[in-house]
Amino acid sequence: MAKKSKFFLISVILVVFVFALVYFGVNLTSNFGKTETQVTSEDANKQLSKLYSNISITTETPVKGQIDLNPADVAESLPDISKFPITVENTTDHFVEIFSSTEKSGTGIDGWLTEVATEFNKANIVINGNAASVKIRNIASGTAADYIKSGKYVPDAYTPSNELWGEMVKASGVKTEIVSKRLVGNVPGIVIVKAKYDALVDTYGSVNVKTVTEAIANNEFSMGYTDPFASSTGLNFLVTALNTFDSTNILGDKAVQGFEKFQANVPFIASTTIQMREAAKSGMLDGFVLEYQTYINATDLKDAYVFTPFGVRHDSPLYALGEVPKEKLDIITKFAEFVEQAQYQDLAKKNGFNNLDDYKSEVAVVEGSLLSSAQKLWKEKKNGSKPIAAVFVTDVSGSMAGEPLNRLKESLLKGQKYLGKDNSIGLVSYSSGVTINLPIGKYDTNQQSMFVGTVNSLQASGGTATFDGIVVALKMLQDEVAINPNIKPIIFVLSDGDTNEGHSLKDIKGLIENYKVPIYTIGYNANIEALQSISNINEAASINADTDDVVYKIGNLFNVQM
């Protein structure tokens, strides 16, 4: 009897052992041959499905609305010019107002022209019998060009970062007279991680825009650049890149084909230089575009990156605009002469300007109408063969009632004119639960009509389950990726930033990181830091909508990302 019991015990142990081998073998072989990323992705899909199943979701039938087929009106979207600060006030009745690019008319190392203009006003200069002074307005070159070209506000003079903007203003029909080709010296460039720079030299023999674009086209180099509609360096890089593909015709078939191949491997286009710098900190980029004056003043960049100049120099030309009276033209001319004095050029050197003076522009200044066509080409071709699929996640909780929801609607209704027709969009709204108001669809006239109707029908009430809304958007996009793996998914969250129901950021942060979906946030009467924490996960931008330039900002954002 004792032998039977012993035999039985051994048999049970053997069965358990075999079962354990089979169990662990199945689990081992189920992941055999799969990368860590694949396994993680499968886990992410399971987690997404689990989170999704716990959310109260309603699906509505989209309602069509009346669409406006007129093109976007830039002048209408621009805020009152008072939005942009005066950094030097005029001190006399006889003065000129000058729009100045931000790298020289701000404060600190970016305040060179501010200091010089202040000294000009203190100098008690008399022109034609009258005491003269200048007023300096701090405004980005591209934004300034939009004011001038649209006619919404035209100052007496304009000093952008480079001559490209002057050419575009001239092409728009505004009379321009170049008073000085250079107020202060600066150069745009690509800053490249030192190890990657050495690798490019080993492969291509040298590093310049031609070799960089070739390396990008061959998927050997990961680089980002800034919006060529708004950024001086971004516009310069676009023109220079097109020129490397065909210097005889930057809009010809050869140039377009080269650009498409190159652009297909560009992982990141930033709306602003700040966003570009943040992306670089994450280590996702081998290089990015930047002006030398910024580079030389950033210790973290000097130590880790090599600067390679490109394109047209950024020498801050000075233009007189419109039918400027002689007395005003004389002030502008006198100011240009004042700026050229050695003591002020030495001051500029201390601020990081007037370096790399041996660098000559490697491309000629392009005529303005060609530049506008190059921007349109970029808009059409920037996504290459990867159309965008975007879901707008809109906060309709009780805290959004009234002015915040009205501004949200205005943002979307006016901003939607910048959405590319080759892309696909959907919209969800959330309060305590989540509603799928508009399933993802190609942004044709029919989808546009339903988008407008859906936005108009949004109403506010209930709690705030922001991260439930993001989970639903992620699920919609992953379902879309399963059908069309070639799409690039994006989420736009429009909210006041406060979450009091549903899942937390901690619950879904890993999912967002795994799927690598950029989440752009737009805050209305918002907890901006909460929204920034969402956007920072995958190097997206965050916009504060509590300003009168929100429509303009969102138009620029959609223009870049969609």
Side-chain angles (χ1 to χ4, degrees):
M1 193 73 174
K3 287 183 179 180
K4 287 184 178 182
S5 297
K6 187 176 181 180
F7 177 76
F8 177 76
L9 181 60
I10 292 171
S11 299
V12 170
I13 291 171
L14 283 171
V15 169
V16 171
F17 179 70
V18 171
F19 176 79
L21 281 176
V22 171
Y23 175 81
F24 288 112
V26 168
N27 277 275
L28 180 65
T29 55
S30 67
N31 286 333
F32 184 75
K34 297 178 182 176
T35 65
E36 182 181 344
T37 302
Q38 287 172 319
V39 175
T40 304
S41 295
E42 288 182 4
D43 291 341
N45 289 336
K46 290 176 183 176
Q47 185 185 356
L48 177 60
S49 296
K50 182 178 179 181
L51 292 173
Y52 185 84
S53 66
N54 291 331
I55 298 170
S56 173
I57 302 170
T58 304
T59 301
E60 284 189 351
T61 302
V63 179
K64 286 192 174 184
Q66 193 72 31
I67 62 174
D68 178 5
L69 295 177
N70 293 318
D73 187 338
V74 174
E76 183 186 7
S77 69
L78 288 166
D80 187 86
I81 195 62
S82 61
K83 168 71 182 175
F84 300 92
I86 299 295
T87 54
V88 178
E89 288 282 4
N90 57 291
T91 54
T92 65
D93 292 335
H94 295 271
F95 70 94
V96 293
E97 179 177 351
I98 304 173
F99 277 6
S100 170
S101 55
T102 55
E103 78 280 1
K104 60 181 183 282
S105 61
T107 59
I109 60 169
D110 295 328
W112 169 75
L113 193 64
T114 302
E115 293 185 53
V116 178
T118 300
E119 292 303 311
F120 180 85
N121 288 354
K122 289 179 180 178
N124 297 318
I125 293 172
V126 177
I127 300 175
N128 300 324
N130 296 308
S133 62
V134 295
K135 174 192 284 189
I136 305 295
R137 192 180 297 274
N138 177 286
I139 181 170
S141 299
T143 303
D146 281 342
Y147 275 95
I148 298 165
K149 290 188 299 178
S150 68
K152 183 153 186 174
Y153 192 98
V154 181
D156 303 304
Y158 173 41
T159 173
S161 297
N162 62 41
E163 290 185 60
L164 300 177
W165 297 113
E167 290 297 317
M168 292 185 74
V169 165
K170 185 193 300 183
S172 73
V174 176
K175 182 181 177 182
T176 65
E177 180 179 342
I178 192 157
V179 177
S180 172
K181 290 184 72 70
R182 171 172 169 161
L183 293 185
V184 67
N186 204 1
V187 176
I190 307 169
V191 292
I192 303 172
V193 174
K194 286 183 177 179
K196 198 67 181 182
Y197 181 90
D198 293 339
L200 289 173
V201 171
D202 289 343
T203 303
Y204 295 93
S206 63
V207 178
N208 51 46
V209 170
K210 183 173 178 57
T211 56
V212 165
T213 53
E214 186 177 343
I216 292 170
N218 293 333
N219 206 23
E220 298 168 349
F221 185 73
S222 177
M223 179 187 148
Y225 63 95
T226 42
D227 174 13
F229 279 85
S231 162
S232 298
T233 311
L235 177 62
N236 203 340
F237 181 77
L238 171 64
V239 172
T240 307
L242 288 169
N243 187 76
T244 64
F245 302 129
D246 188 350
S247 60
T248 62
N249 184 1
I250 65 170
L251 299 176
D253 290 342
K254 183 179 177 183
V256 172
Q257 290 168 8
F259 177 76
E260 286 183 302
K261 185 180 178 184
F262 149 81
Q263 187 66 26
N265 290 320
V266 172
F268 189 68
I269 300 170
S271 299
T272 65
T273 301
I274 293 173
Q275 185 191 356
M276 182 69 71
R277 290 283 302 274
E278 288 303 314
K281 288 177 184 177
S282 72
M284 69 176 284
L285 299 175
D286 298 323
F288 55 98
V289 298
L290 201 67
E291 286 183 317
Y292 190 80
Q293 184 258 348
T294 304
Y295 167 79
I296 198 67
N297 284 303
T299 305
D300 59 323
L301 294 179
K302 284 193 301 178
D303 294 341
Y305 292 82
V306 178
F307 184 92
T308 300
F310 72 81
V312 176
R313 287 185 60 91
H314 283 200
D315 284 342
S316 290
L318 177 64
Y319 300 89
L321 300 177
E323 299 295 336
V324 183
K326 182 181 184 304
E327 63 179 40
K328 291 208 170 196
L329 183 59
D330 288 345
I331 297 174
I332 298 169
T333 303
K334 189 67 177 178
F335 180 65
E337 293 171 357
F338 186 87
V339 164
E340 291 174 1
Q341 295 179 74
Q343 67 189 91
Y344 300 123
Q345 292 300 312
D346 289 344
L347 174 64
K349 184 90 170 181
K350 292 177 182 177
N351 285 17
F353 295 103
N354 291 342
N355 288 288
L356 304 184
D357 278 348
D358 290 339
Y359 174 75
K360 308 298 181 186
S361 295
E362 62 183 12
V363 296
V365 174
V366 179
E367 194 270 328
S369 61
L370 276 179
L371 289 168
S372 295
S373 297
Q375 287 177 324
K376 291 175 183 175
L377 170 69
W378 176 82
K379 173 70 175 173
E380 293 170 3
K381 304 293 184 181
K382 66 183 174 65
N383 295 325
S385 58
K386 282 196 165 189
I388 301 293
V391 175
F392 293 85
V393 180
T394 58
D395 183 351
V396 293
S397 61
S399 59
M400 288 289 290
E403 184 63 17
L405 186 58
N406 290 336
R407 290 179 71 82
L408 182 154
K409 290 182 178 182
E410 179 190 24
S411 303
L412 288 178
L413 293 174
K414 292 182 177 178
Q416 54 89 20
K417 289 192 174 186
Y418 294 91
L419 304 179
K421 300 299 181 182
D422 292 331
N423 300 319
S424 298
I425 66 166
L427 186 143
V428 304
S429 59
Y430 68 88
S431 52
S432 296
V434 180
T435 300
I436 299 175
N437 305 83
L438 181 65
I440 296 172
K442 186 80 172 287
Y443 196 59
D444 54 18
T445 302
N446 186 58
Q447 188 78 350
Q448 183 182 10
S449 175
M450 289 191 289
F451 182 79
V452 169
T454 295
V455 171
N456 278 324
S457 68
L458 295 175
Q459 295 182 340
S461 66
T464 312
T466 303
F467 300 106
D468 287 2
I470 293 174
V471 167
V472 172
L474 281 171
K475 183 68 166 62
M476 291 168 67
L477 288 168
Q478 291 309 305
D479 290 345
E480 191 71 16
V481 168
I483 298 169
N484 181 5
N486 207 34
I487 65 167
K488 179 183 176 183
I490 292 178
I491 293 174
F492 295 95
V493 175
L494 299 91
S495 171
D496 62 10
D498 291 320
T499 300
N500 54 30
E501 292 190 30
H503 295 101
S504 67
L505 177 59
K506 182 180 179 182
D507 295 333
I508 71 168
K509 185 176 180 181
L511 280 177
I512 298 170
E513 290 172 336
N514 183 274
Y515 289 128
K516 295 180 173 59
V517 177
I519 302 178
Y520 294 85
T521 56
I522 302 165
Y524 300 81
N525 193 25
N527 179 344
I528 297 299
E529 288 186 5
L531 294 176
Q532 287 174 338
S533 67
I534 300 170
S535 293
N536 288 342
I537 296 172
N538 289 322
E539 290 82 36
S542 183
I543 290 175
N544 183 0
D546 293 331
T547 58
D548 55 3
D549 62 345
V550 61
V551 173
Y552 181 72
K553 283 182 178 178
I554 288 175
N556 284 341
L557 176 64
F558 290 172
N559 202 43
V560 175
Q561 303 304 335
M562 295 291 290

